[in-house]
Amino acid sequence: MNWLQLGGSLAAILVLAAIAWALRLGRDGRIASPEEAAAAAEAALAGFCAADAVLGADGAGALAVSEDGRLAAIKRHGARAAVREVQWAAVRTTPEGVVIDTGERRFGRVTLAKVDALDLRQLAGQMVLPFDEARRRA
């Protein structure tokens, strides 16, 4: 083996590692906080002014609500957060947590692990949620 070749290969590996670090490609695939989710929603959706956000226990998904009642589903997509505006009717509770069906095949569903209906009620404030309306009719 040629020592020059070995040194060049090692240098190339270190340069590629530095580029990946600079681009934050090795970043943890989690949404760190409700504040980060709210900021991502505000940056992605025009006129969205986040009032509050709730984060799944595993950090894989979040839901933000604006001051005027709009909803944003957030999930991690590589090093960035992907955001889609959704309706309250797309949000449903399951025993595992909250599932948000965005209606987009490519974006998929957003799951908020260990988030329950009480968390959604706190997030919504005084708004009437679809599952509350259905319960009132019954």
Side-chain angles (χ1 to χ4, degrees), residues 8-89:
S9 296
L10 184 59
I13 291 170
L14 292 176
V15 167
L16 289 174
I19 290 171
W21 177 80
L23 294 175
R24 298 171 27 168
L25 295 178
R27 183 176 173 183
D28 185 20
R30 296 174 42 94
I31 299 170
S33 66
E35 292 79 17
E36 181 183 335
E42 288 176 348
L45 300 175
F48 193 92
C49 185
D52 203 0
V54 64
L55 180 66
D58 59 359
L63 183 68
V65 65
S66 70
E67 294 172 349
D68 60 353
R70 293 167 58 196
L71 284 182
I74 303 114
K75 71 177 185 178
R76 183 61 66 190
H77 183 70
R80 300 179 187 266
V83 180
R84 293 293 186 275
E85 188 167 351
V86 296
Q87 301 299 317
W88 276 108

